[in-house]
PDB file of all heavy atoms in Angstrom:
ATOM      1  N   SER Q1329      23.942  68.487  29.614  1.00 62.00           N
ATOM      2  CA  SER Q1329      24.107  69.534  30.622  1.00 62.00           C
ATOM      3  C   SER Q1329      23.322  70.763  30.199  1.00 62.00           C
ATOM      4  O   SER Q1329      23.438  71.215  29.054  1.00 62.00           O
ATOM      5  CB  SER Q1329      25.587  69.918  30.747  1.00 62.00           C
ATOM      6  OG  SER Q1329      26.317  68.783  31.158  1.00 62.00           O
ATOM      7  N   VAL Q1330      22.465  71.267  31.082  1.00 61.00           N
ATOM      8  CA  VAL Q1330      21.663  72.457  30.782  1.00 61.00           C
ATOM      9  C   VAL Q1330      21.854  73.451  31.917  1.00 61.00           C
ATOM     10  O   VAL Q1330      21.695  73.089  33.093  1.00 61.00           O
ATOM     11  CB  VAL Q1330      20.171  72.106  30.655  1.00 61.00           C
ATOM     12  CG1 VAL Q1330      19.354  73.356  30.352  1.00 61.00           C
ATOM     13  CG2 VAL Q1330      19.961  71.067  29.580  1.00 61.00           C
ATOM     14  N   SER Q1331      22.207  74.691  31.558  1.00 70.00           N
ATOM     15  CA  SER Q1331      22.367  75.716  32.586  1.00 70.00           C
ATOM     16  C   SER Q1331      20.994  76.140  33.090  1.00 70.00           C
ATOM     17  O   SER Q1331      19.988  75.951  32.400  1.00 70.00           O
ATOM     18  CB  SER Q1331      23.086  76.922  31.990  1.00 70.00           C
ATOM     19  OG  SER Q1331      22.224  77.555  31.079  1.00 70.00           O
ATOM     20  N   PRO Q1332      20.920  76.709  34.319  1.00 70.00           N
ATOM     21  CA  PRO Q1332      19.621  77.161  34.840  1.00 70.00           C
ATOM     22  C   PRO Q1332      18.928  78.127  33.883  1.00 70.00           C
ATOM     23  O   PRO Q1332      17.713  78.046  33.682  1.00 70.00           O
ATOM     24  CB  PRO Q1332      19.986  77.836  36.161  1.00 70.00           C
ATOM     25  CG  PRO Q1332      21.269  77.191  36.580  1.00 70.00           C
ATOM     26  CD  PRO Q1332      21.992  76.864  35.319  1.00 70.00           C
ATOM     27  N   ALA Q1333      19.689  79.025  33.277  1.00 74.00           N
ATOM     28  CA  ALA Q1333      19.062  79.999  32.365  1.00 74.00           C
ATOM     29  C   ALA Q1333      18.470  79.292  31.150  1.00 74.00           C
ATOM     30  O   ALA Q1333      17.357  79.579  30.708  1.00 74.00           O
ATOM     31  CB  ALA Q1333      20.095  81.033  31.930  1.00 74.00           C
ATOM     32  N   MET Q1334      19.246  78.349  30.606  1.00 72.00           N
ATOM     33  CA  MET Q1334      18.758  77.599  29.447  1.00 72.00           C
ATOM     34  C   MET Q1334      17.509  76.785  29.815  1.00 72.00           C
ATOM     35  O   MET Q1334      16.538  76.704  29.048  1.00 72.00           O
ATOM     36  CB  MET Q1334      19.858  76.643  28.956  1.00 72.00           C
ATOM     37  CG  MET Q1334      19.424  75.725  27.847  1.00 72.00           C
ATOM     38  SD  MET Q1334      19.202  76.594  26.310  1.00 72.00           S
ATOM     39  CE  MET Q1334      20.853  76.445  25.648  1.00 72.00           C
ATOM     40  N   GLY Q1335      17.507  76.189  31.016  1.00 68.00           N
ATOM     41  CA  GLY Q1335      16.348  75.422  31.479  1.00 68.00           C
ATOM     42  C   GLY Q1335      15.108  76.294  31.543  1.00 68.00           C
ATOM     43  O   GLY Q1335      14.014  75.899  31.113  1.00 68.00           O
ATOM     44  N   GLY Q1336      15.273  77.498  32.071  1.00 72.00           N
ATOM     45  CA  GLY Q1336      14.137  78.420  32.153  1.00 72.00           C
ATOM     46  C   GLY Q1336      13.622  78.776  30.768  1.00 72.00           C
ATOM     47  O   GLY Q1336      12.412  78.827  30.530  1.00 72.00           O
ATOM     48  N   ALA Q1337      14.552  79.020  29.852  1.00 75.00           N
ATOM     49  CA  ALA Q1337      14.137  79.380  28.491  1.00 75.00           C
ATOM     50  C   ALA Q1337      13.392  78.224  27.834  1.00 75.00           C
ATOM     51  O   ALA Q1337      12.378  78.412  27.145  1.00 75.00           O
ATOM     52  CB  ALA Q1337      15.371  79.744  27.663  1.00 75.00           C
ATOM     53  N   LEU Q1338      13.890  76.998  28.061  1.00 68.00           N
ATOM     54  CA  LEU Q1338      13.213  75.831  27.486  1.00 68.00           C
ATOM     55  C   LEU Q1338      11.789  75.686  28.025  1.00 68.00           C
ATOM     56  O   LEU Q1338      10.848  75.441  27.275  1.00 68.00           O
ATOM     57  CB  LEU Q1338      14.003  74.559  27.804  1.00 68.00           C
ATOM     58  CG  LEU Q1338      15.200  74.253  26.916  1.00 68.00           C
ATOM     59  CD1 LEU Q1338      16.000  73.094  27.494  1.00 68.00           C
ATOM     60  CD2 LEU Q1338      14.732  73.919  25.507  1.00 68.00           C
ATOM     61  N   ALA Q1339      11.666  75.866  29.352  1.00 71.00           N
ATOM     62  CA  ALA Q1339      10.337  75.739  29.959  1.00 71.00           C
ATOM     63  C   ALA Q1339       9.388  76.780  29.372  1.00 71.00           C
ATOM     64  O   ALA Q1339       8.231  76.480  29.042  1.00 71.00           O
ATOM     65  CB  ALA Q1339      10.433  75.895  31.471  1.00 71.00           C
ATOM     66  N   ALA Q1340       9.896  78.016  29.207  1.00 73.00           N
ATOM     67  CA  ALA Q1340       9.057  79.076  28.644  1.00 73.00           C
ATOM     68  C   ALA Q1340       8.654  78.731  27.219  1.00 73.00           C
ATOM     69  O   ALA Q1340       7.512  78.952  26.793  1.00 73.00           O
ATOM     70  CB  ALA Q1340       9.811  80.405  28.677  1.00 73.00           C
ATOM     71  N   ALA Q1341       9.620  78.168  26.472  1.00 72.00           N
ATOM     72  CA  ALA Q1341       9.324  77.822  25.083  1.00 72.00           C
ATOM     73  C   ALA Q1341       8.257  76.736  25.012  1.00 72.00           C
ATOM     74  O   ALA Q1341       7.342  76.791  24.176  1.00 72.00           O
ATOM     75  CB  ALA Q1341      10.595  77.347  24.387  1.00 72.00           C
ATOM     76  N   VAL Q1342       8.373  75.740  25.900  1.00 63.00           N
ATOM     77  CA  VAL Q1342       7.385  74.655  25.896  1.00 63.00           C
ATOM     78  C   VAL Q1342       5.994  75.204  26.194  1.00 63.00           C
ATOM     79  O   VAL Q1342       5.010  74.873  25.519  1.00 63.00           O
ATOM     80  CB  VAL Q1342       7.770  73.566  26.924  1.00 63.00           C
ATOM     81  CG1 VAL Q1342       6.628  72.595  27.139  1.00 63.00           C
ATOM     82  CG2 VAL Q1342       9.016  72.824  26.458  1.00 63.00           C
ATOM     83  N   VAL Q1343       5.912  76.086  27.210  1.00 62.00           N
ATOM     84  CA  VAL Q1343       4.617  76.670  27.555  1.00 62.00           C
ATOM     85  C   VAL Q1343       4.056  77.444  26.369  1.00 62.00           C
ATOM     86  O   VAL Q1343       2.870  77.322  26.019  1.00 62.00           O
ATOM     87  CB  VAL Q1343       4.765  77.590  28.794  1.00 62.00           C
ATOM     88  CG1 VAL Q1343       3.497  78.404  29.009  1.00 62.00           C
ATOM     89  CG2 VAL Q1343       5.075  76.749  30.020  1.00 62.00           C
ATOM     90  N   ALA Q1344       4.934  78.217  25.703  1.00 67.00           N
ATOM     91  CA  ALA Q1344       4.463  79.029  24.570  1.00 67.00           C
ATOM     92  C   ALA Q1344       3.929  78.137  23.459  1.00 67.00           C
ATOM     93  O   ALA Q1344       2.865  78.395  22.876  1.00 67.00           O
ATOM     94  CB  ALA Q1344       5.614  79.881  24.053  1.00 67.00           C
ATOM     95  N   VAL Q1345       4.654  77.055  23.157  1.00 58.00           N
ATOM     96  CA  VAL Q1345       4.225  76.160  22.070  1.00 58.00           C
ATOM     97  C   VAL Q1345       2.910  75.469  22.429  1.00 58.00           C
ATOM     98  O   VAL Q1345       2.005  75.346  21.600  1.00 58.00           O
ATOM     99  CB  VAL Q1345       5.332  75.122  21.760  1.00 58.00           C
ATOM    100  CG1 VAL Q1345       4.801  74.054  20.827  1.00 58.00           C
ATOM    101  CG2 VAL Q1345       6.525  75.811  21.131  1.00 58.00           C
ATOM    102  N   LEU Q1346       2.801  75.033  23.708  1.00 53.00           N
ATOM    103  CA  LEU Q1346       1.566  74.358  24.115  1.00 53.00           C
ATOM    104  C   LEU Q1346       0.365  75.289  24.008  1.00 53.00           C
ATOM    105  O   LEU Q1346      -0.729  74.880  23.618  1.00 53.00           O
ATOM    106  CB  LEU Q1346       1.683  73.832  25.553  1.00 53.00           C
ATOM    107  CG  LEU Q1346       2.600  72.623  25.730  1.00 53.00           C
ATOM    108  CD1 LEU Q1346       2.733  72.266  27.201  1.00 53.00           C
ATOM    109  CD2 LEU Q1346       2.058  71.427  24.954  1.00 53.00           C
ATOM    110  N   LEU Q1347       0.573  76.553  24.341  1.00 52.00           N
ATOM    111  CA  LEU Q1347      -0.536  77.507  24.251  1.00 52.00           C
ATOM    112  C   LEU Q1347      -0.978  77.723  22.804  1.00 52.00           C
ATOM    113  O   LEU Q1347      -2.131  78.020  22.524  1.00 52.00           O
ATOM    114  CB  LEU Q1347      -0.129  78.855  24.872  1.00 52.00           C
ATOM    115  CG  LEU Q1347      -0.037  78.863  26.398  1.00 52.00           C
ATOM    116  CD1 LEU Q1347       0.496  80.204  26.893  1.00 52.00           C
ATOM    117  CD2 LEU Q1347      -1.410  78.592  27.015  1.00 52.00           C
ATOM    118  N   LEU Q1348      -0.020  77.564  21.858  1.00 55.00           N
ATOM    119  CA  LEU Q1348      -0.341  77.782  20.445  1.00 55.00           C
ATOM    120  C   LEU Q1348      -1.005  76.568  19.806  1.00 55.00           C
ATOM    121  O   LEU Q1348      -1.585  76.675  18.727  1.00 55.00           O
ATOM    122  CB  LEU Q1348       0.939  78.121  19.658  1.00 55.00           C
ATOM    123  CG  LEU Q1348       1.544  79.481  19.992  1.00 55.00           C
ATOM    124  CD1 LEU Q1348       2.898  79.637  19.310  1.00 55.00           C
ATOM    125  CD2 LEU Q1348       0.607  80.606  19.545  1.00 55.00           C
ATOM    126  N   LEU Q1349      -0.904  75.409  20.469  1.00 51.00           N
ATOM    127  CA  LEU Q1349      -1.469  74.199  19.858  1.00 51.00           C
ATOM    128  C   LEU Q1349      -2.991  74.244  19.861  1.00 51.00           C
ATOM    129  O   LEU Q1349      -3.592  74.729  20.817  1.00 51.00           O
ATOM    130  CB  LEU Q1349      -1.031  72.960  20.649  1.00 51.00           C
ATOM    131  CG  LEU Q1349       0.369  72.430  20.364  1.00 51.00           C
ATOM    132  CD1 LEU Q1349       0.634  71.231  21.275  1.00 51.00           C
ATOM    133  CD2 LEU Q1349       0.490  72.012  18.917  1.00 51.00           C
ATOM    134  N   PRO Q1350      -3.647  73.704  18.807  1.00 45.00           N
ATOM    135  CA  PRO Q1350      -5.103  73.632  18.818  1.00 45.00           C
ATOM    136  C   PRO Q1350      -5.573  72.613  19.843  1.00 45.00           C
ATOM    137  O   PRO Q1350      -4.904  71.611  20.091  1.00 45.00           O
ATOM    138  CB  PRO Q1350      -5.453  73.159  17.396  1.00 45.00           C
ATOM    139  CG  PRO Q1350      -4.233  72.476  16.909  1.00 45.00           C
ATOM    140  CD  PRO Q1350      -3.080  73.143  17.584  1.00 45.00           C
ATOM    141  N   ALA Q1351      -6.745  72.896  20.425  1.00 41.00           N
ATOM    142  CA  ALA Q1351      -7.296  71.948  21.390  1.00 41.00           C
ATOM    143  C   ALA Q1351      -7.836  70.740  20.655  1.00 41.00           C
ATOM    144  O   ALA Q1351      -8.518  70.874  19.650  1.00 41.00           O
ATOM    145  CB  ALA Q1351      -8.416  72.611  22.187  1.00 41.00           C
ATOM    146  N   GLY Q1352      -7.533  69.568  21.122  1.00 42.00           N
ATOM    147  CA  GLY Q1352      -8.057  68.353  20.497  1.00 42.00           C
ATOM    148  C   GLY Q1352      -8.736  67.485  21.527  1.00 42.00           C
ATOM    149  O   GLY Q1352      -8.833  67.857  22.691  1.00 42.00           O
ATOM    150  N   GLU Q1353      -9.204  66.324  21.108  1.00 42.00           N
ATOM    151  CA  GLU Q1353      -9.798  65.378  22.049  1.00 42.00           C
ATOM    152  C   GLU Q1353      -8.703  64.871  22.968  1.00 42.00           C
ATOM    153  O   GLU Q1353      -7.547  64.776  22.576  1.00 42.00           O
ATOM    154  CB  GLU Q1353     -10.392  64.200  21.279  1.00 42.00           C
ATOM    155  CG  GLU Q1353     -11.602  64.593  20.491  1.00 42.00           C
ATOM    156  CD  GLU Q1353     -12.744  63.650  20.783  1.00 42.00           C
ATOM    157  OE1 GLU Q1353     -12.625  62.823  21.694  1.00 42.00           O
ATOM    158  OE2 GLU Q1353     -13.759  63.763  20.105  1.00 42.00           O
ATOM    159  N   PRO Q1354      -9.039  64.544  24.209  1.00 41.00           N
ATOM    160  CA  PRO Q1354      -8.003  64.005  25.081  1.00 41.00           C
ATOM    161  C   PRO Q1354      -7.412  62.728  24.499  1.00 41.00           C
ATOM    162  O   PRO Q1354      -8.133  61.914  23.923  1.00 41.00           O
ATOM    163  CB  PRO Q1354      -8.757  63.727  26.385  1.00 41.00           C
ATOM    164  CG  PRO Q1354     -10.200  63.750  26.033  1.00 41.00           C
ATOM    165  CD  PRO Q1354     -10.338  64.612  24.841  1.00 41.00           C
ATOM    166  N   THR Q1355      -6.121  62.632  24.635  1.00 38.00           N
ATOM    167  CA  THR Q1355      -5.449  61.483  24.043  1.00 38.00           C
ATOM    168  C   THR Q1355      -5.545  60.288  24.984  1.00 38.00           C
ATOM    169  O   THR Q1355      -5.368  60.415  26.171  1.00 38.00           O
ATOM    170  CB  THR Q1355      -3.967  61.815  23.816  1.00 38.00           C
ATOM    171  OG1 THR Q1355      -3.915  62.960  22.998  1.00 38.00           O
ATOM    172  CG2 THR Q1355      -3.244  60.678  23.139  1.00 38.00           C
ATOM    173  N   ASP Q1356      -5.866  59.135  24.434  1.00 47.00           N
ATOM    174  CA  ASP Q1356      -5.791  57.922  25.231  1.00 47.00           C
ATOM    175  C   ASP Q1356      -4.905  56.949  24.478  1.00 47.00           C
ATOM    176  O   ASP Q1356      -4.186  57.337  23.562  1.00 47.00           O
ATOM    177  CB  ASP Q1356      -7.185  57.344  25.505  1.00 47.00           C
ATOM    178  CG  ASP Q1356      -7.943  57.070  24.233  1.00 47.00           C
ATOM    179  OD1 ASP Q1356      -7.286  56.965  23.156  1.00 47.00           O
ATOM    180  OD2 ASP Q1356      -9.151  56.982  24.291  1.00 47.00           O
ATOM    181  N   ARG Q1357      -4.952  55.702  24.869  1.00 44.00           N
ATOM    182  CA  ARG Q1357      -4.020  54.750  24.266  1.00 44.00           C
ATOM    183  C   ARG Q1357      -4.246  54.584  22.769  1.00 44.00           C
ATOM    184  O   ARG Q1357      -3.379  54.112  22.061  1.00 44.00           O
ATOM    185  CB  ARG Q1357      -4.129  53.398  24.974  1.00 44.00           C
ATOM    186  CG  ARG Q1357      -3.454  53.411  26.324  1.00 44.00           C
ATOM    187  CD  ARG Q1357      -3.361  52.020  26.878  1.00 44.00           C
ATOM    188  NE  ARG Q1357      -4.656  51.540  27.290  1.00 44.00           N
ATOM    189  CZ  ARG Q1357      -5.028  50.274  27.203  1.00 44.00           C
ATOM    190  NH1 ARG Q1357      -4.229  49.387  26.694  1.00 44.00           N
ATOM    191  NH2 ARG Q1357      -6.217  49.892  27.611  1.00 44.00           N
ATOM    192  N   ALA Q1358      -5.439  55.003  22.293  1.00 43.00           N
ATOM    193  CA  ALA Q1358      -5.682  54.882  20.858  1.00 43.00           C
ATOM    194  C   ALA Q1358      -4.730  55.764  20.072  1.00 43.00           C
ATOM    195  O   ALA Q1358      -4.451  55.499  18.920  1.00 43.00           O
ATOM    196  CB  ALA Q1358      -7.119  55.261  20.541  1.00 43.00           C
ATOM    197  N   GLY Q1359      -4.236  56.839  20.696  1.00 43.00           N
ATOM    198  CA  GLY Q1359      -3.382  57.756  19.968  1.00 43.00           C
ATOM    199  C   GLY Q1359      -1.906  57.479  20.139  1.00 43.00           C
ATOM    200  O   GLY Q1359      -1.081  58.153  19.553  1.00 43.00           O
ATOM    201  N   GLU Q1360      -1.568  56.508  20.935  1.00 41.00           N
ATOM    202  CA  GLU Q1360      -0.159  56.243  21.161  1.00 41.00           C
ATOM    203  C   GLU Q1360       0.455  55.544  19.960  1.00 41.00           C
ATOM    204  O   GLU Q1360      -0.199  54.749  19.292  1.00 41.00           O
ATOM    205  CB  GLU Q1360       0.005  55.335  22.376  1.00 41.00           C
ATOM    206  CG  GLU Q1360      -0.224  56.048  23.681  1.00 41.00           C
ATOM    207  CD  GLU Q1360       0.079  55.138  24.853  1.00 41.00           C
ATOM    208  OE1 GLU Q1360       0.471  53.978  24.604  1.00 41.00           O
ATOM    209  OE2 GLU Q1360      -0.089  55.570  25.970  1.00 41.00           O
TER     210      GLU Q1360
END
Side-chain angles (χ1 to χ4, degrees):
Chain Q
S1329 299
V1330 180
S1331 69
M1334 175 71 90
L1338 279 171
V1342 168
V1343 169
V1345 170
L1346 288 175
L1347 287 175
L1348 291 172
L1349 280 178
E1353 291 231 8
T1355 303
D1356 57 20
R1357 284 190 288 146
E1360 286 185 1

